Amino acid sequence: MPESTIDAALTLLAQGRDVLLVGDDGSGKSWCLAQLAGALRKRGNDAVLVPGRLGSAADPLAPFGATTVPLEGGGAVGERLVAAFAEELNGPRSRLLVDDLDELEAPAIAALRAVLDRTGARLVATVGRCSVAIGGAPRPFAALLAERAPADVAVPPLSFEAMSRFVAARLRGRPDAELIVSLSAHSGSNPRVAAALLDVAVASGAIGQRDGLWSEVGSLEEASAASVVHALTGRLSPAEQSALELLAWAGPLPPRELDRLVDPGILLSLNQRGRLSWSYAEVGHDARVSPPALSRGLREQLTPERRHRLVETVERTFGADFVPDREHTSIDPFVVSGLDSDDYWRWSAEFAGQVKERVAVREAAARALWSELPTVENACAYFRTLTVRRPADTLGRIFAETRFGDRDSVTARLQFSLFELQWLIWSGEADSVDHWLDGLGPRLGAKAVFVRKVRDTINLHRDAVPLTPELIARLSAPGTSDYEHTWSTLLAVALLLEAGSPEDALERIDTRNGLEEGTLASIHLDFLRTEALLALGRLEDAEEWSRRCAEHAYDQLSPLGFQFHALGVAQTLVQRGRFEAGWRALSTGLRLGSGGPFAIPQPPLLVLGAIIQAQLGDRELAAALLAEGERAGTLHLPPHPSRVELARAAIMRAEGDPAGSDELLWEAGAAAAALGHLATACMFWTDLTTVNLEQAAEISAVMDRIDSPLHHAVFDVKVAMGTGDERQIVTALDRSGELIAPQLAAAAVDVIDRLRAESGAEPLDDDGRAQLIGEHRSHVDLDRGGDLLSDREREVAILAKAGLSNRDMAHRLFVSVRTVENHMHRLLKKLGYSNRRQLRDEWNPDL
């Protein structure tokens, strides 16, 4: 559970406010309330916890009797109850905590109101999401809320990091990222659902330990979801349960069909309880049961008789020929327009679940068609649906049992062969590819040469092949069909980018004709357009383009497009210093899991995630993501340079070893430059902390060979920082404009201050720093309301500037010392400072 939830509640209580902890069933509200009660008692508060769910119409005051407050003595029960609580809650900082306030009957609410009036205690209570929603029938506690106007604190679904910690604690061992993303998608990131699925999956053998990590050795879909049904439907009425069964069986339905099939009042209640999720499109939207594991569990429990009754219900409403309208299923571009919303993680989990359900349906249909008629065309159609990982032996059987016929087109045979090439590389059979290529002649004739060109381009980095203009021309020669032309364009663009010619690559993309849209190659090309725009220094264009592509992927519920463009969005945000927003975009892509051989490889997502987490200070998560990125499999797409060394270097810097980080980055960049892999060399060198004169000369020689304004700007500043010349640093900062991240601008100004201190000159004043950094600082992560720092980070920074210790700040803000330490680490990173002294001496809160 996020520590921020408890911190927020403590802060509001300190301000004299009542607090409602609002969350879905199973989200951890009760756990959060218990943690809050303990924190309050440690701070010297009088805190009494009342379990509201124990109440009933027959015994409405039972929750109060379950507390430690004694109710013995004469007089009426209500009077004794109020007197007992008044004795217990007699301090100036008294807190009455009520779990499941929305379960209390009217007499219990009346008693609660009397206790609060008598004692003056502040109220902290948990309620379900549906309880406080507008539109439902009035509940007994509604009048109490109207009187006291409590502040809401959301108990959100588990983020990627929180889910990782939750699973590790539950299994007593570290899970791999694939298990985390799969569990998040199935459970909607609900802790109770995740726990139920984990227990059943372990018992059934669907998950187990592999290479020291807990992994999906089978599939979570193989584990019974009956426990999820029990966990999430216990508080539903029979009518609500019946409606959920119907929706789980019928699948996604648009509103006009929902309203005819299910009473609108019941739909409203299910929606408010979080049991429905919605996907949106310009022409309408549809709903499905949430989370996906609940939908599966409800379907598993349907008896033949119950299914028959559901069919009758649908036929009475729509007729015997009813087919649900799934034509216009799409996703509201929430991640694009709402990166900073508190509801992000809920949306992210629901989106992943919707995509996986859609993919499962399409895949099952395509596989059934191939099983009935195992032709090359049907095999290719099946492979195109495989955007989630499937066992290698399953795919191997498809390749082995597909029958070639005289009517197979050359294009179909070529597609099949490229799928097989990717599968061989992905499954670890790369060493046998040459033998396989030699045998392609009878199948493809002259087209076998095209498959070899794709293989050579994919292996460019692995085989350390020197990149020359002649090689680019040979590998990217255009094909004769639209399918070949799409792949040829992809190979050409990837190679031109690697050679340091983003302008030529962009022109090749923007003048493309006759390309097959929606394929792996065309989606990859759209992603490479983002990288070309970044290299050209068109940062705003790159961010806009990648977000627009991501939005289209949401509309199509395309995991392939979504993962590519989530990676693109994350890269554009990181380039502008917005690490937290970049992580949110990236981790949503991670939630979809590994795509197997026919989708984006997992390593780029995992390794960029490691780099971001190292920058944010979470070295443990960064190391875990890097380890998985290294073992995630072989690259099987046209050249994606490995960023593993980049992540290792970022972790080394986070651990306080900038010299070791620079040595690793320099050697990796120099090796790439010697092969003519200039973009890869620049990728490593731009992360160097310092650049000496000898390195500056070699960098300058490479920069003379590439056309990349972004890299020119970054190296200009970094080389200037190594000269020890303040005037040269200032000039480089002025020239760089918006092309460098604010952290680099701040680091350059720190060098100026150091140079001035060494020479005995006065340090830069606030106006001088603002003039040099201000232009860059406006592009940092706008996570909370548009400032460089979040509200809590700003509070901590102001107190630290005033000289308070971590312990003093923790006492002042009603948070733990560890929380203050985390805030200090993050805010110093964001401001570009290395210690508190710089914060006290240089930070201007008014900037």
Side-chain angles (χ1 to χ4, degrees):
M1 188 59 53
E3 197 176 42
S4 59
T5 300
I6 298 173
D7 290 346
L10 290 169
T11 300
L12 288 165
L13 285 168
Q15 295 171 355
R17 297 294 302 277
D18 288 356
V19 175
L20 282 185
L21 300 180
V22 183
D24 194 6
D25 289 347
S27 62
K29 304 188 300 293
S30 299
W31 180 91
C32 203
L33 191 68
Q35 295 296 111
L36 185 57
L40 287 168
R41 289 166 185 150
K42 286 181 181 179
R43 288 164 172 73
N45 291 255
D46 295 331
V48 177
L49 180 59
V50 175
R53 191 172 292 194
L54 297 179
S56 66
D59 189 5
L61 299 184
F64 298 97
T67 69
T68 57
V69 177
L71 297 180
E72 295 84 8
V77 174
E79 294 175 4
R80 284 188 285 125
L81 185 149
V82 174
F85 273 79
E87 184 177 343
E88 186 78 7
L89 300 171
N90 58 10
R93 293 196 295 175
S94 299
R95 318 296 189 208
L96 181 56
L97 295 86
V98 182
D99 197 13
D100 296 309
L101 176 68
D102 44 349
E103 292 292 305
L104 292 182
E105 299 289 339
I109 293 294
L112 179 61
R113 180 185 286 107
V115 170
L116 293 171
D117 290 343
R118 174 79 67 87
T119 63
R122 294 284 82 183
L123 172 67
V124 185
T126 66
V127 296
R129 283 201 301 158
C130 64
S131 303
V132 294
I134 296 174
R139 305 284 290 278
F141 71 103
L144 181 65
L145 297 189
E147 294 169 7
R148 302 187 68 89
D152 287 2
V153 175
V155 181
L158 297 177
S159 66
F160 184 93
E161 305 96 306
M163 180 65 84
S164 180
R165 292 192 296 269
F166 175 83
V167 176
R170 187 99 185 166
L171 299 180
R172 298 181 181 178
R174 188 161 68 84
D176 65 13
E178 180 69 16
L179 176 58
I180 296 303
V181 298
S182 182
L183 188 63
S184 297
H186 285 283
S187 68
S189 291
N190 181 302
R192 185 187 300 171
V193 177
L197 287 175
L198 277 175
D199 292 344
V200 176
V202 170
S204 66
I207 63 174
Q209 287 194 307
R210 183 171 56 195
D211 299 331
L213 298 176
W214 284 96
S215 309
E216 270 192 277
V217 294
S219 171
L220 282 177
E221 295 175 0
E222 300 170 1
S224 169
S227 57
V228 177
V229 178
H230 303 322
L232 295 183
T233 62
R235 299 172 70 178
L236 300 181
S237 68
E240 289 171 331
Q241 292 189 38
S242 178
L244 273 185
E245 280 186 335
L246 181 56
L247 293 176
W249 172 79
L253 293 169
R256 63 181 179 275
E257 293 171 355
L258 275 176
D259 290 343
R260 293 176 61 191
L261 200 58
V262 180
D263 179 83
I266 294 177
L267 287 175
L268 175 63
S269 176
L270 292 174
N271 190 48
Q272 291 172 345
R273 287 183 181 277
R275 298 286 67 84
L276 297 180
S277 66
W278 297 81
S279 57
Y280 299 88
E282 294 180 2
V283 294
H285 50 281
D286 59 12
R288 67 203 70 219
V289 175
S290 178
L294 175 60
S295 181
R296 178 164 61 87
L298 289 167
R299 290 194 297 270
E300 288 174 353
Q301 293 188 349
L302 290 176
T303 64
E305 189 276 335
R306 178 59 180 155
R307 285 194 181 90
H308 177 70
R309 296 297 181 192
L310 294 177
V311 170
E312 288 183 334
T313 300
V314 170
E315 288 184 350
R316 280 198 306 270
T317 306
F318 302 113
D321 296 329
F322 168 74
V323 177
D325 179 7
R326 298 183 177 89
E327 174 92 17
H328 302 297
T329 49
S330 65
I331 287 295
D332 178 18
F334 194 97
V335 67
V336 175
S337 61
L339 276 171
D340 306 320
S341 169
D342 291 338
D343 289 332
Y344 178 81
W345 295 115
R346 180 183 302 281
W347 174 88
S348 176
E350 289 180 351
F351 170 68
Q354 291 168 357
V355 169
K356 288 204 169 188
E357 278 206 81
R358 166 68 70 86
V359 167
V361 171
R362 289 177 172 173
E363 180 186 330
R367 184 183 177 98
L369 182 60
W370 176 86
S371 298
E372 182 179 348
L373 191 62
T375 65
V376 172
E377 292 275 4
N378 288 342
C380 290
Y382 172 58
F383 293 143
R384 283 193 290 271
T385 69
L386 292 179
T387 51
V388 295
R389 180 188 291 270
R390 287 292 176 262
D393 55 352
T394 299
L395 298 179
R397 189 173 70 83
I398 303 293
F399 285 111
E401 296 181 8
T402 295
R403 297 196 298 264
F404 287 82
D406 295 337
R407 295 185 178 182
D408 295 331
S409 68
V410 174
T411 297
R413 288 170 177 259
L414 181 59
Q415 288 182 16
F416 184 90
S417 299
L418 286 180
F419 278 126
E420 192 168 6
L421 171 67
Q422 292 171 280
W423 171 70
L424 287 170
I425 296 174
W426 173 81
S427 58
E429 302 293 331
D431 293 338
S432 65
V433 170
D434 281 333
H435 178 71
W436 174 79
L437 285 169
D438 291 339
L440 279 183
R443 180 194 297 180
L444 294 178
K447 297 295 183 184
V449 175
F450 187 84
V451 179
R452 193 177 293 274
K453 288 197 302 183
V454 174
R455 191 284 307 267
D456 290 346
T457 309
I458 291 174
N459 287 349
L460 183 74
H461 292 286
R462 194 198 73 164
D463 295 344
V465 177
L467 186 59
T468 64
E470 294 75 21
L471 181 66
I472 294 175
R474 180 177 69 82
L475 294 180
S476 60
T480 56
S481 67
D482 288 349
Y483 182 77
E484 289 176 79
H485 184 51
T486 303
W487 272 92
S488 296
T489 303
L490 172 61
L491 302 184
V493 169
L495 294 169
L496 287 170
L497 283 173
E498 184 60 14
S501 302
E503 189 70 58
D504 293 339
L506 187 62
E507 183 179 358
R508 186 75 180 259
I509 295 171
D510 289 343
T511 57
R512 60 185 177 180
N513 292 306
L515 300 188
E516 286 197 337
E517 297 299 330
T519 62
L520 169 63
S522 64
I523 291 172
H524 194 175
L525 272 171
D526 287 336
F527 166 74
L528 292 182
R529 189 175 195 276
T530 298
E531 296 205 323
L533 290 170
L534 281 174
L536 290 170
R538 294 167 56 182
L539 305 189
E540 291 187 4
D541 289 343
E543 186 172 342
E544 174 63 26
W545 170 255
S546 62
R547 290 188 177 207
R548 196 189 319 156
C549 291
E551 180 175 347
H552 181 68
Y554 306 146
D555 285 341
Q556 300 298 315
L557 284 185
S558 166
L560 182 63
F562 174 71
Q563 285 194 309
F564 261 114
H565 299 305
L567 179 61
V569 169
Q571 287 184 178
T572 63
L573 293 170
V574 167
Q575 185 61 52
R576 306 183 81 170
R578 300 173 61 184
F579 293 104
E580 292 182 1
W583 168 248
R584 287 196 298 279
L586 186 76
S587 60
T588 305
L590 282 171
R591 283 181 186 269
L592 294 180
S594 172
F598 311 133
I600 181 173
Q602 199 75 333
L605 290 163
L606 290 164
V607 173
L608 181 57
I611 294 168
I612 292 173
Q613 287 301 322
Q615 291 283 358
L616 293 176
D618 194 335
R619 291 175 292 173
E620 183 177 351
L621 180 57
L625 291 169
L626 174 58
E628 291 191 50
E630 291 180 294
R631 87 180 177 101
T634 308
L635 294 176
H636 51 271
L637 291 176
H640 270 286
S642 172
R643 288 174 167 82
V644 166
E645 288 85 356
L646 212 59
R648 288 177 185 159
I651 294 172
M652 292 170 73
R653 281 197 306 276
E655 292 174 341
D657 184 14
S661 169
D662 280 357
E663 182 180 0
L664 175 62
L665 290 170
W666 179 257
E667 290 178 356
L675 294 170
H677 301 177
L678 304 184
T680 298
C682 291
M683 177 185 73
F684 290 125
W685 288 346
T686 52
D687 254 24
L688 290 169
T689 306
T690 59
V691 176
N692 60 40
L693 293 178
E694 182 180 348
Q695 291 171 338
E698 191 164 341
I699 290 172
S700 179
V702 169
M703 295 310 296
D704 288 341
R705 300 166 59 191
I706 71 171
D707 177 23
S708 175
L710 177 68
H711 292 119
H712 279 281
V714 172
F715 288 133
D716 200 13
V717 173
K718 293 206 170 189
V719 169
M721 290 166 63
T723 64
D725 185 331
E726 177 181 342
R727 181 176 299 177
Q728 191 169 338
I729 297 173
V730 172
T731 301
L733 281 173
D734 288 341
R735 281 200 302 256
S736 69
E738 301 177 359
L739 295 184
I740 66 170
Q743 290 83 357
L744 177 55
V749 173
D750 286 343
V751 172
I752 293 176
D753 280 340
R754 178 173 53 79
L755 293 172
R756 290 191 170 203
E758 291 172 354
S759 65
E762 289 293 322
L764 288 169
D765 58 21
D766 289 342
D767 289 340
R769 291 187 68 88
Q771 186 175 356
L772 289 174
I773 301 179
E775 184 178 5
H776 307 285
R777 181 166 287 175
S778 63
H779 298 289
V780 297
D781 197 352
L782 308 178
D783 256 3
R784 297 285 179 184
D787 293 327
L788 174 64
L789 305 179
S790 69
D791 292 340
R792 177 46 59 87
E793 287 169 345
R794 185 173 177 80
E795 284 183 285
V796 172
I798 290 172
L799 294 176
K801 187 173 177 66
L804 273 70
S805 68
N806 284 352
R807 188 168 298 279
D808 290 336
M809 286 190 281
H811 180 74
R812 178 80 64 91
L813 298 173
F814 300 97
V815 298
S816 67
V817 174
R818 182 181 176 186
T819 298
V820 172
E821 291 171 349
N822 289 337
H823 287 315
M824 281 298 304
H825 178 84
R826 288 178 182 268
L827 71 89
L828 289 174
K829 279 272 190 184
K830 287 185 177 183
L831 294 172
Y833 299 145
S834 57
N835 53 55
R836 285 180 187 239
R837 180 189 59 77
Q838 289 179 297
L839 175 72
R840 287 198 303 270
D841 296 343
E842 302 169 8
W843 182 54
N844 180 359
D846 296 327
L847 281 178

